[in-house]
Amino acid sequence: MTLNSEDPNHNPDPIQTPSSPPAPDSPATPPPSLLHLSFNQDHACFAVGTSRGFRILNCDPFREIFRRDFDRGGGVAVVEMLFRCNILALVGGGPDPQYPPSKVMIWDDHQSRCIGELSFRSDVRSVRLRRDRIVVVLEQKIFVYNFVDLKLMHQIETIANPKGLCAVSQGAGGSMVLVCPGLQKGQVRIEHYASKRTKFVMAHDSRIACFALTQDGGLLATASSKGTLVRVFNTVDGTLRQEVRRGADRAEIYSLAFSSNAEWLAVSSDKGTVHVFGLKVNSGSQVKETPRIAAELTRSSSSPSSSLSLFKGVLPKYFSSEWSVAQFRLVEGTQYIVAFGHQKNTVVILGMDGSFYRCQFDPVNGGEMSQLEYHNCLKPPSVF
């Protein structure tokens, strides 16, 4: 692995400057294909990587903040934001990549150019940013760098990780919690950098498909390749705090997301339904009473699992499972990622077909979510 900084005198390919308005795709030019979608750390914005460059959009209100379309090549397969600041991490991809897929380019949008790069011997699967760290995920290795000087701080070996699964907390200072696959199938590794402790958790019997951390790194949600159950663990001691059921049949889980207060958990899968579950634990691992749970204590028959509570231990575990409070149905087979909106009880859903949904759920009665908004983020900004 080599570490290089770009020559400051290098004149990059000309692209739109921050002061120029975004140029819509001309009618003769087909829209670019979508290669990447990701939310920023507080879910206020999201990044889109395309076959021609990248775009940054705001969630609420929905609007395009800026786009960068490159003259030659242009494929960007990873766009990682750092909250709302001007620094992004880019990785080339697609049939005509803008950068080598084995490099992480540090892009400064104030200068509209790359100000540094990290080079590797194999393709980069994903990147995670904090204000103090850059985390680069390869197929079987993870590198942790200091943000200021790009000094290598830590290396971690993992089981084969083609999706680039990795999550980092966003706490201040040295309190970073990093989660990645372990060296065994179904195992997750939890790194506590403040206390210099490593915790291994056998989360599932089958391969880990997806996981998510709370902002403070206190809780971890995991799903396996079976996709039927989602488990919530305390990251400090590795104890299982809650288990919820997405469904009875196998599914590929695309994303998991905690609400900012860890009161709710959202799940998206290839079945085309986004589920919202009520959580009974917070990051301090204390049992808590959400409005929904409080209401169900007074009318236990409404709980999806409580009417069978007398039969626990007799009936299969499936019948006493905790089911989702609210659901939103989408096109089956399309890949969606999900996050909680900044307005109360709202969910934002992004699809690899360019779709953007904002939905609202009823925290007490649950049921089908109501759609508040729909957009296509690949359309020219003039039509937003």
PDB file of all heavy atoms in Angstrom, residues 145-180:
ATOM      1  N   TYR A 145      -7.127   5.658   9.408  1.00  0.00           N
ATOM      2  CA  TYR A 145      -6.144   6.736   9.272  1.00  0.00           C
ATOM      3  C   TYR A 145      -6.558   7.947  10.103  1.00  0.00           C
ATOM      4  O   TYR A 145      -7.755   8.216  10.290  1.00  0.00           O
ATOM      5  CB  TYR A 145      -6.034   7.203   7.807  1.00  0.00           C
ATOM      6  CG  TYR A 145      -5.529   6.150   6.868  1.00  0.00           C
ATOM      7  CD1 TYR A 145      -6.413   5.293   6.208  1.00  0.00           C
ATOM      8  CD2 TYR A 145      -4.163   6.005   6.617  1.00  0.00           C
ATOM      9  CE1 TYR A 145      -5.959   4.316   5.335  1.00  0.00           C
ATOM     10  CE2 TYR A 145      -3.697   5.035   5.745  1.00  0.00           C
ATOM     11  CZ  TYR A 145      -4.598   4.194   5.106  1.00  0.00           C
ATOM     12  OH  TYR A 145      -4.145   3.225   4.252  1.00  0.00           O
ATOM     13  N   ASN A 146      -5.556   8.692  10.553  1.00  0.00           N
ATOM     14  CA  ASN A 146      -5.792   9.994  11.156  1.00  0.00           C
ATOM     15  C   ASN A 146      -6.158  10.972  10.037  1.00  0.00           C
ATOM     16  O   ASN A 146      -5.500  11.010   8.993  1.00  0.00           O
ATOM     17  CB  ASN A 146      -4.533  10.462  11.883  1.00  0.00           C
ATOM     18  CG  ASN A 146      -4.788  11.668  12.746  1.00  0.00           C
ATOM     19  OD1 ASN A 146      -5.823  11.783  13.365  1.00  0.00           O
ATOM     20  ND2 ASN A 146      -3.825  12.580  12.782  1.00  0.00           N
ATOM     21  N   PHE A 147      -7.213  11.747  10.231  1.00  0.00           N
ATOM     22  CA  PHE A 147      -7.702  12.592   9.143  1.00  0.00           C
ATOM     23  C   PHE A 147      -6.719  13.702   8.783  1.00  0.00           C
ATOM     24  O   PHE A 147      -6.506  14.010   7.609  1.00  0.00           O
ATOM     25  CB  PHE A 147      -9.058  13.210   9.536  1.00  0.00           C
ATOM     26  CG  PHE A 147      -9.927  13.540   8.358  1.00  0.00           C
ATOM     27  CD1 PHE A 147     -11.225  13.060   8.275  1.00  0.00           C
ATOM     28  CD2 PHE A 147      -9.467  14.335   7.327  1.00  0.00           C
ATOM     29  CE1 PHE A 147     -12.032  13.341   7.190  1.00  0.00           C
ATOM     30  CE2 PHE A 147     -10.273  14.625   6.230  1.00  0.00           C
ATOM     31  CZ  PHE A 147     -11.554  14.131   6.166  1.00  0.00           C
ATOM     32  N   VAL A 148      -6.112  14.307   9.782  1.00  0.00           N
ATOM     33  CA  VAL A 148      -5.298  15.512   9.547  1.00  0.00           C
ATOM     34  C   VAL A 148      -4.073  15.227   8.686  1.00  0.00           C
ATOM     35  O   VAL A 148      -3.798  15.932   7.711  1.00  0.00           O
ATOM     36  CB  VAL A 148      -4.879  16.154  10.891  1.00  0.00           C
ATOM     37  CG1 VAL A 148      -3.966  17.360  10.652  1.00  0.00           C
ATOM     38  CG2 VAL A 148      -6.101  16.572  11.690  1.00  0.00           C
ATOM     39  N   ASP A 149      -3.332  14.147   9.010  1.00  0.00           N
ATOM     40  CA  ASP A 149      -2.073  13.898   8.298  1.00  0.00           C
ATOM     41  C   ASP A 149      -2.074  12.580   7.511  1.00  0.00           C
ATOM     42  O   ASP A 149      -1.044  12.178   6.966  1.00  0.00           O
ATOM     43  CB  ASP A 149      -0.900  13.908   9.278  1.00  0.00           C
ATOM     44  CG  ASP A 149      -1.098  12.924  10.437  1.00  0.00           C
ATOM     45  OD1 ASP A 149      -2.059  12.116  10.382  1.00  0.00           O
ATOM     46  OD2 ASP A 149      -0.304  12.973  11.401  1.00  0.00           O
ATOM     47  N   LEU A 150      -3.236  11.893   7.463  1.00  0.00           N
ATOM     48  CA  LEU A 150      -3.376  10.619   6.749  1.00  0.00           C
ATOM     49  C   LEU A 150      -2.401   9.555   7.268  1.00  0.00           C
ATOM     50  O   LEU A 150      -1.987   8.661   6.531  1.00  0.00           O
ATOM     51  CB  LEU A 150      -3.203  10.803   5.236  1.00  0.00           C
ATOM     52  CG  LEU A 150      -4.195  11.742   4.549  1.00  0.00           C
ATOM     53  CD1 LEU A 150      -3.969  11.736   3.044  1.00  0.00           C
ATOM     54  CD2 LEU A 150      -5.634  11.349   4.858  1.00  0.00           C
ATOM     55  N   LYS A 151      -2.059   9.647   8.552  1.00  0.00           N
ATOM     56  CA  LYS A 151      -1.172   8.653   9.163  1.00  0.00           C
ATOM     57  C   LYS A 151      -1.979   7.392   9.493  1.00  0.00           C
ATOM     58  O   LYS A 151      -3.084   7.473  10.045  1.00  0.00           O
ATOM     59  CB  LYS A 151      -0.560   9.231  10.441  1.00  0.00           C
ATOM     60  CG  LYS A 151       0.373   8.262  11.158  1.00  0.00           C
ATOM     61  CD  LYS A 151       0.856   8.870  12.476  1.00  0.00           C
ATOM     62  CE  LYS A 151       1.696   7.871  13.254  1.00  0.00           C
ATOM     63  NZ  LYS A 151       2.093   8.419  14.581  1.00  0.00           N
ATOM     64  N   LEU A 152      -1.420   6.218   9.151  1.00  0.00           N
ATOM     65  CA  LEU A 152      -2.093   4.954   9.435  1.00  0.00           C
ATOM     66  C   LEU A 152      -2.069   4.681  10.938  1.00  0.00           C
ATOM     67  O   LEU A 152      -1.016   4.636  11.558  1.00  0.00           O
ATOM     68  CB  LEU A 152      -1.407   3.812   8.679  1.00  0.00           C
ATOM     69  CG  LEU A 152      -2.015   2.415   8.863  1.00  0.00           C
ATOM     70  CD1 LEU A 152      -3.438   2.361   8.339  1.00  0.00           C
ATOM     71  CD2 LEU A 152      -1.149   1.361   8.155  1.00  0.00           C
ATOM     72  N   MET A 153      -3.278   4.480  11.527  1.00  0.00           N
ATOM     73  CA  MET A 153      -3.402   4.277  12.969  1.00  0.00           C
ATOM     74  C   MET A 153      -3.651   2.814  13.337  1.00  0.00           C
ATOM     75  O   MET A 153      -3.232   2.362  14.393  1.00  0.00           O
ATOM     76  CB  MET A 153      -4.566   5.119  13.528  1.00  0.00           C
ATOM     77  CG  MET A 153      -4.544   6.577  13.131  1.00  0.00           C
ATOM     78  SD  MET A 153      -3.178   7.483  13.850  1.00  0.00           S
ATOM     79  CE  MET A 153      -3.660   7.536  15.557  1.00  0.00           C
ATOM     80  N   HIS A 154      -4.339   2.063  12.448  1.00  0.00           N
ATOM     81  CA  HIS A 154      -4.765   0.713  12.822  1.00  0.00           C
ATOM     82  C   HIS A 154      -5.095  -0.091  11.570  1.00  0.00           C
ATOM     83  O   HIS A 154      -5.579   0.475  10.579  1.00  0.00           O
ATOM     84  CB  HIS A 154      -6.014   0.811  13.725  1.00  0.00           C
ATOM     85  CG  HIS A 154      -6.383  -0.474  14.402  1.00  0.00           C
ATOM     86  ND1 HIS A 154      -7.673  -0.751  14.818  1.00  0.00           N
ATOM     87  CD2 HIS A 154      -5.645  -1.570  14.736  1.00  0.00           C
ATOM     88  CE1 HIS A 154      -7.696  -1.964  15.383  1.00  0.00           C
ATOM     89  NE2 HIS A 154      -6.485  -2.472  15.340  1.00  0.00           N
ATOM     90  N   GLN A 155      -4.833  -1.403  11.608  1.00  0.00           N
ATOM     91  CA  GLN A 155      -5.236  -2.322  10.540  1.00  0.00           C
ATOM     92  C   GLN A 155      -6.034  -3.459  11.156  1.00  0.00           C
ATOM     93  O   GLN A 155      -5.689  -3.946  12.230  1.00  0.00           O
ATOM     94  CB  GLN A 155      -4.018  -2.919   9.833  1.00  0.00           C
ATOM     95  CG  GLN A 155      -3.155  -1.934   9.090  1.00  0.00           C
ATOM     96  CD  GLN A 155      -2.021  -2.636   8.355  1.00  0.00           C
ATOM     97  OE1 GLN A 155      -2.239  -3.639   7.690  1.00  0.00           O
ATOM     98  NE2 GLN A 155      -0.808  -2.107   8.479  1.00  0.00           N
ATOM     99  N   ILE A 156      -7.080  -3.891  10.465  1.00  0.00           N
ATOM    100  CA  ILE A 156      -7.929  -4.982  10.953  1.00  0.00           C
ATOM    101  C   ILE A 156      -8.124  -5.974   9.816  1.00  0.00           C
ATOM    102  O   ILE A 156      -8.442  -5.576   8.686  1.00  0.00           O
ATOM    103  CB  ILE A 156      -9.306  -4.459  11.416  1.00  0.00           C
ATOM    104  CG1 ILE A 156      -9.153  -3.408  12.513  1.00  0.00           C
ATOM    105  CG2 ILE A 156     -10.193  -5.610  11.885  1.00  0.00           C
ATOM    106  CD1 ILE A 156     -10.445  -2.684  12.853  1.00  0.00           C
ATOM    107  N   GLU A 157      -7.963  -7.250  10.107  1.00  0.00           N
ATOM    108  CA  GLU A 157      -8.267  -8.285   9.123  1.00  0.00           C
ATOM    109  C   GLU A 157      -9.687  -8.793   9.349  1.00  0.00           C
ATOM    110  O   GLU A 157     -10.122  -8.956  10.496  1.00  0.00           O
ATOM    111  CB  GLU A 157      -7.274  -9.444   9.234  1.00  0.00           C
ATOM    112  CG  GLU A 157      -5.882  -9.073   8.744  1.00  0.00           C
ATOM    113  CD  GLU A 157      -4.963 -10.288   8.627  1.00  0.00           C
ATOM    114  OE1 GLU A 157      -5.470 -11.425   8.661  1.00  0.00           O
ATOM    115  OE2 GLU A 157      -3.749 -10.070   8.504  1.00  0.00           O
ATOM    116  N   THR A 158     -10.419  -9.059   8.260  1.00  0.00           N
ATOM    117  CA  THR A 158     -11.799  -9.521   8.355  1.00  0.00           C
ATOM    118  C   THR A 158     -11.992 -10.752   7.466  1.00  0.00           C
ATOM    119  O   THR A 158     -11.151 -11.063   6.623  1.00  0.00           O
ATOM    120  CB  THR A 158     -12.802  -8.435   7.891  1.00  0.00           C
ATOM    121  OG1 THR A 158     -12.660  -8.238   6.474  1.00  0.00           O
ATOM    122  CG2 THR A 158     -12.563  -7.119   8.605  1.00  0.00           C
ATOM    123  N   ILE A 159     -13.125 -11.415   7.649  1.00  0.00           N
ATOM    124  CA  ILE A 159     -13.563 -12.432   6.713  1.00  0.00           C
ATOM    125  C   ILE A 159     -13.883 -11.718   5.389  1.00  0.00           C
ATOM    126  O   ILE A 159     -13.949 -10.480   5.353  1.00  0.00           O
ATOM    127  CB  ILE A 159     -14.811 -13.160   7.279  1.00  0.00           C
ATOM    128  CG1 ILE A 159     -15.053 -14.490   6.570  1.00  0.00           C
ATOM    129  CG2 ILE A 159     -16.047 -12.264   7.248  1.00  0.00           C
ATOM    130  CD1 ILE A 159     -16.123 -15.355   7.269  1.00  0.00           C
ATOM    131  N   ALA A 160     -14.040 -12.453   4.295  1.00  0.00           N
ATOM    132  CA  ALA A 160     -14.377 -11.824   3.003  1.00  0.00           C
ATOM    133  C   ALA A 160     -15.558 -10.878   3.184  1.00  0.00           C
ATOM    134  O   ALA A 160     -16.606 -11.252   3.724  1.00  0.00           O
ATOM    135  CB  ALA A 160     -14.710 -12.892   1.972  1.00  0.00           C
ATOM    136  N   ASN A 161     -15.392  -9.636   2.741  1.00  0.00           N
ATOM    137  CA  ASN A 161     -16.360  -8.567   2.995  1.00  0.00           C
ATOM    138  C   ASN A 161     -16.622  -7.792   1.708  1.00  0.00           C
ATOM    139  O   ASN A 161     -16.277  -6.615   1.586  1.00  0.00           O
ATOM    140  CB  ASN A 161     -15.804  -7.651   4.102  1.00  0.00           C
ATOM    141  CG  ASN A 161     -16.766  -6.563   4.527  1.00  0.00           C
ATOM    142  OD1 ASN A 161     -17.966  -6.622   4.256  1.00  0.00           O
ATOM    143  ND2 ASN A 161     -16.242  -5.545   5.198  1.00  0.00           N
ATOM    144  N   PRO A 162     -17.223  -8.450   0.691  1.00  0.00           N
ATOM    145  CA  PRO A 162     -17.394  -7.794  -0.613  1.00  0.00           C
ATOM    146  C   PRO A 162     -18.289  -6.564  -0.578  1.00  0.00           C
ATOM    147  O   PRO A 162     -18.136  -5.670  -1.405  1.00  0.00           O
ATOM    148  CB  PRO A 162     -18.016  -8.902  -1.482  1.00  0.00           C
ATOM    149  CG  PRO A 162     -18.624  -9.858  -0.522  1.00  0.00           C
ATOM    150  CD  PRO A 162     -17.762  -9.819   0.703  1.00  0.00           C
ATOM    151  N   LYS A 163     -19.212  -6.484   0.398  1.00  0.00           N
ATOM    152  CA  LYS A 163     -20.086  -5.308   0.506  1.00  0.00           C
ATOM    153  C   LYS A 163     -19.397  -4.142   1.194  1.00  0.00           C
ATOM    154  O   LYS A 163     -19.942  -3.038   1.230  1.00  0.00           O
ATOM    155  CB  LYS A 163     -21.352  -5.655   1.300  1.00  0.00           C
ATOM    156  CG  LYS A 163     -22.327  -6.588   0.590  1.00  0.00           C
ATOM    157  CD  LYS A 163     -23.550  -6.765   1.488  1.00  0.00           C
ATOM    158  CE  LYS A 163     -24.595  -7.657   0.871  1.00  0.00           C
ATOM    159  NZ  LYS A 163     -25.748  -7.836   1.797  1.00  0.00           N
ATOM    160  N   GLY A 164     -18.222  -4.384   1.780  1.00  0.00           N
ATOM    161  CA  GLY A 164     -17.541  -3.310   2.508  1.00  0.00           C
ATOM    162  C   GLY A 164     -18.269  -2.914   3.768  1.00  0.00           C
ATOM    163  O   GLY A 164     -18.315  -1.738   4.136  1.00  0.00           O
ATOM    164  N   LEU A 165     -18.844  -3.893   4.469  1.00  0.00           N
ATOM    165  CA  LEU A 165     -19.588  -3.597   5.696  1.00  0.00           C
ATOM    166  C   LEU A 165     -18.664  -3.013   6.754  1.00  0.00           C
ATOM    167  O   LEU A 165     -17.626  -3.576   7.074  1.00  0.00           O
ATOM    168  CB  LEU A 165     -20.244  -4.864   6.237  1.00  0.00           C
ATOM    169  CG  LEU A 165     -21.256  -5.579   5.336  1.00  0.00           C
ATOM    170  CD1 LEU A 165     -21.755  -6.845   6.030  1.00  0.00           C
ATOM    171  CD2 LEU A 165     -22.417  -4.660   4.983  1.00  0.00           C
ATOM    172  N   CYS A 166     -19.063  -1.871   7.301  1.00  0.00           N
ATOM    173  CA  CYS A 166     -18.309  -1.214   8.367  1.00  0.00           C
ATOM    174  C   CYS A 166     -19.173  -0.076   8.901  1.00  0.00           C
ATOM    175  O   CYS A 166     -19.881   0.575   8.132  1.00  0.00           O
ATOM    176  CB  CYS A 166     -16.983  -0.662   7.844  1.00  0.00           C
ATOM    177  SG  CYS A 166     -15.944   0.084   9.113  1.00  0.00           S
ATOM    178  N   ALA A 167     -19.136   0.138  10.205  1.00  0.00           N
ATOM    179  CA  ALA A 167     -19.872   1.258  10.804  1.00  0.00           C
ATOM    180  C   ALA A 167     -18.988   1.890  11.865  1.00  0.00           C
ATOM    181  O   ALA A 167     -18.261   1.192  12.583  1.00  0.00           O
ATOM    182  CB  ALA A 167     -21.183   0.773  11.418  1.00  0.00           C
ATOM    183  N   VAL A 168     -19.060   3.219  11.967  1.00  0.00           N
ATOM    184  CA  VAL A 168     -18.300   3.937  12.997  1.00  0.00           C
ATOM    185  C   VAL A 168     -19.230   4.895  13.722  1.00  0.00           C
ATOM    186  O   VAL A 168     -20.149   5.462  13.126  1.00  0.00           O
ATOM    187  CB  VAL A 168     -17.090   4.709  12.407  1.00  0.00           C
ATOM    188  CG1 VAL A 168     -16.068   3.766  11.839  1.00  0.00           C
ATOM    189  CG2 VAL A 168     -17.531   5.722  11.362  1.00  0.00           C
ATOM    190  N   SER A 169     -18.983   5.047  15.016  1.00  0.00           N
ATOM    191  CA  SER A 169     -19.747   6.017  15.795  1.00  0.00           C
ATOM    192  C   SER A 169     -19.265   7.424  15.464  1.00  0.00           C
ATOM    193  O   SER A 169     -18.201   7.598  14.863  1.00  0.00           O
ATOM    194  CB  SER A 169     -19.579   5.736  17.289  1.00  0.00           C
ATOM    195  OG  SER A 169     -18.227   5.984  17.669  1.00  0.00           O
ATOM    196  N   GLN A 170     -20.051   8.419  15.875  1.00  0.00           N
ATOM    197  CA  GLN A 170     -19.690   9.801  15.570  1.00  0.00           C
ATOM    198  C   GLN A 170     -19.440  10.630  16.823  1.00  0.00           C
ATOM    199  O   GLN A 170     -19.577  11.838  16.819  1.00  0.00           O
ATOM    200  CB  GLN A 170     -20.789  10.448  14.708  1.00  0.00           C
ATOM    201  CG  GLN A 170     -20.932   9.818  13.333  1.00  0.00           C
ATOM    202  CD  GLN A 170     -19.677   9.956  12.482  1.00  0.00           C
ATOM    203  OE1 GLN A 170     -18.951  10.943  12.573  1.00  0.00           O
ATOM    204  NE2 GLN A 170     -19.408   8.947  11.646  1.00  0.00           N
ATOM    205  N   GLY A 171     -19.078   9.946  17.929  1.00  0.00           N
ATOM    206  CA  GLY A 171     -18.758  10.655  19.161  1.00  0.00           C
ATOM    207  C   GLY A 171     -17.505  11.495  19.016  1.00  0.00           C
ATOM    208  O   GLY A 171     -16.637  11.214  18.188  1.00  0.00           O
ATOM    209  N   ALA A 172     -17.397  12.520  19.849  1.00  0.00           N
ATOM    210  CA  ALA A 172     -16.251  13.433  19.763  1.00  0.00           C
ATOM    211  C   ALA A 172     -15.002  12.790  20.354  1.00  0.00           C
ATOM    212  O   ALA A 172     -15.063  11.833  21.121  1.00  0.00           O
ATOM    213  CB  ALA A 172     -16.570  14.732  20.492  1.00  0.00           C
ATOM    214  N   GLY A 173     -13.855  13.333  19.974  1.00  0.00           N
ATOM    215  CA  GLY A 173     -12.582  12.909  20.546  1.00  0.00           C
ATOM    216  C   GLY A 173     -12.198  11.495  20.155  1.00  0.00           C
ATOM    217  O   GLY A 173     -12.489  11.022  19.074  1.00  0.00           O
ATOM    218  N   GLY A 174     -11.542  10.798  21.076  1.00  0.00           N
ATOM    219  CA  GLY A 174     -11.043   9.459  20.783  1.00  0.00           C
ATOM    220  C   GLY A 174     -12.021   8.354  21.107  1.00  0.00           C
ATOM    221  O   GLY A 174     -11.624   7.198  21.258  1.00  0.00           O
ATOM    222  N   SER A 175     -13.306   8.681  21.263  1.00  0.00           N
ATOM    223  CA  SER A 175     -14.280   7.682  21.701  1.00  0.00           C
ATOM    224  C   SER A 175     -14.879   6.891  20.539  1.00  0.00           C
ATOM    225  O   SER A 175     -16.007   6.435  20.622  1.00  0.00           O
ATOM    226  CB  SER A 175     -15.402   8.371  22.478  1.00  0.00           C
ATOM    227  OG  SER A 175     -16.055   9.329  21.651  1.00  0.00           O
ATOM    228  N   MET A 176     -14.138   6.713  19.469  1.00  0.00           N
ATOM    229  CA  MET A 176     -14.679   6.014  18.303  1.00  0.00           C
ATOM    230  C   MET A 176     -14.959   4.551  18.614  1.00  0.00           C
ATOM    231  O   MET A 176     -14.159   3.856  19.227  1.00  0.00           O
ATOM    232  CB  MET A 176     -13.701   6.110  17.122  1.00  0.00           C
ATOM    233  CG  MET A 176     -14.226   5.416  15.865  1.00  0.00           C
ATOM    234  SD  MET A 176     -13.269   5.766  14.379  1.00  0.00           S
ATOM    235  CE  MET A 176     -11.995   4.535  14.472  1.00  0.00           C
ATOM    236  N   VAL A 177     -16.132   4.107  18.152  1.00  0.00           N
ATOM    237  CA  VAL A 177     -16.479   2.688  18.144  1.00  0.00           C
ATOM    238  C   VAL A 177     -16.576   2.278  16.680  1.00  0.00           C
ATOM    239  O   VAL A 177     -17.253   2.934  15.889  1.00  0.00           O
ATOM    240  CB  VAL A 177     -17.819   2.426  18.855  1.00  0.00           C
ATOM    241  CG1 VAL A 177     -18.182   0.938  18.795  1.00  0.00           C
ATOM    242  CG2 VAL A 177     -17.770   2.916  20.303  1.00  0.00           C
ATOM    243  N   LEU A 178     -15.880   1.224  16.308  1.00  0.00           N
ATOM    244  CA  LEU A 178     -15.893   0.717  14.936  1.00  0.00           C
ATOM    245  C   LEU A 178     -16.411  -0.714  14.960  1.00  0.00           C
ATOM    246  O   LEU A 178     -15.982  -1.520  15.794  1.00  0.00           O
ATOM    247  CB  LEU A 178     -14.497   0.781  14.322  1.00  0.00           C
ATOM    248  CG  LEU A 178     -14.323   0.293  12.875  1.00  0.00           C
ATOM    249  CD1 LEU A 178     -13.183   1.057  12.188  1.00  0.00           C
ATOM    250  CD2 LEU A 178     -14.029  -1.217  12.792  1.00  0.00           C
ATOM    251  N   VAL A 179     -17.320  -1.023  14.039  1.00  0.00           N
ATOM    252  CA  VAL A 179     -17.855  -2.378  13.919  1.00  0.00           C
ATOM    253  C   VAL A 179     -17.569  -2.894  12.515  1.00  0.00           C
ATOM    254  O   VAL A 179     -17.768  -2.176  11.527  1.00  0.00           O
ATOM    255  CB  VAL A 179     -19.367  -2.419  14.201  1.00  0.00           C
ATOM    256  CG1 VAL A 179     -19.910  -3.830  13.987  1.00  0.00           C
ATOM    257  CG2 VAL A 179     -19.649  -1.958  15.622  1.00  0.00           C
ATOM    258  N   CYS A 180     -17.098  -4.130  12.427  1.00  0.00           N
ATOM    259  CA  CYS A 180     -16.822  -4.761  11.133  1.00  0.00           C
ATOM    260  C   CYS A 180     -17.042  -6.259  11.263  1.00  0.00           C
ATOM    261  O   CYS A 180     -17.179  -6.775  12.379  1.00  0.00           O
ATOM    262  CB  CYS A 180     -15.401  -4.450  10.680  1.00  0.00           C
ATOM    263  SG  CYS A 180     -14.121  -5.114  11.765  1.00  0.00           S
TER     264      CYS A 180
END
